[in-house]
Amino acid sequence: MSWRTTSCAHAPGGCSGHALFDTRLGTCGIAWGPGGIVAVQLPEGDPQATRERLLRGLGQRGDPAAPAPEPVRAAIAGIQALLAGQPRNLQEIPLDMSRISPFHQRVYAVTRAIAPGQTLTYGEVAEQIGSKNLFKVFLELHKRLAGMGC
């Protein structure tokens, strides 16, 4: 496994560390804080662009390298396996959703619970989060996908 770690801001909205790691698709990135994963980034044009996009808005600082905790190493291994075409379930990976609105937290809770190989329609997601605004759910899910580089 090839990856490099660096610290970033410990302030609210920041992260404790981040890492770039190799996958079949290219160099991905992951950032974490005390509460879990705060961001994941699919490959950009080069590793530096991936790092910049990952850290956008996270308050990155030039602190010394921070070792990735076990849950982050497990997330990296799971992402690498998924991107290599191996089935994985990452539902147990802790996420720090303190920077995310309550609406987005509900969307993540429902979509993270979708079992590998299963699907939900936008309407089913909206129903499960208690939203009657299907258009808002559709837009938010697509904005999240675009933010992940999809």
Side-chain angles (χ1 to χ4, degrees):
M1 176 182 336
S2 171
W3 46 290
R4 304 156 295 286
T5 63
T6 309
S7 293
C8 44
H10 293 274
C15 62
S16 300
H18 71 276
L20 297 181
F21 57 97
D22 296 327
T23 72
R24 279 202 179 163
L25 297 181
T27 302
C28 290
I30 191 167
W32 62 90
I37 306 299
V38 296
V40 173
Q41 179 61 50
L42 291 173
E44 290 288 322
D46 59 65
Q48 183 59 32
T50 300
R51 182 187 313 277
E52 289 171 7
R53 178 108 184 238
L54 171 72
L55 297 176
R56 194 178 300 157
L58 293 181
Q60 190 262 351
R61 293 183 187 166
D63 296 338
E70 175 52 36
V72 174
R73 292 192 305 270
I76 290 170
I79 292 166
Q80 288 172 319
L82 279 171
L83 297 179
Q86 301 168 16
R88 288 291 187 275
N89 183 339
L90 302 179
Q91 292 174 339
E92 300 304 317
I93 302 296
L95 301 181
D96 178 349
M97 294 196 273
S98 61
R99 301 173 49 240
I100 302 173
S101 74
F103 172 80
H104 290 109
Q105 289 181 29
R106 291 191 312 271
V107 170
Y108 278 125
V110 169
T111 55
R112 285 189 84 201
I114 300 169
Q118 301 298 307
T119 61
L120 287 179
T121 66
Y122 293 109
E124 290 168 329
V125 172
E127 183 179 307
Q128 287 191 30
I129 67 168
S131 176
K132 298 195 185 301
N133 189 341
L134 179 60
F135 185 66
K136 181 177 179 182
V137 172
F138 175 82
L139 287 178
E140 294 304 324
L141 287 172
H142 279 271
K143 284 186 346 190
R144 291 290 158 203
L145 289 172
M148 293 187 309
C150 295

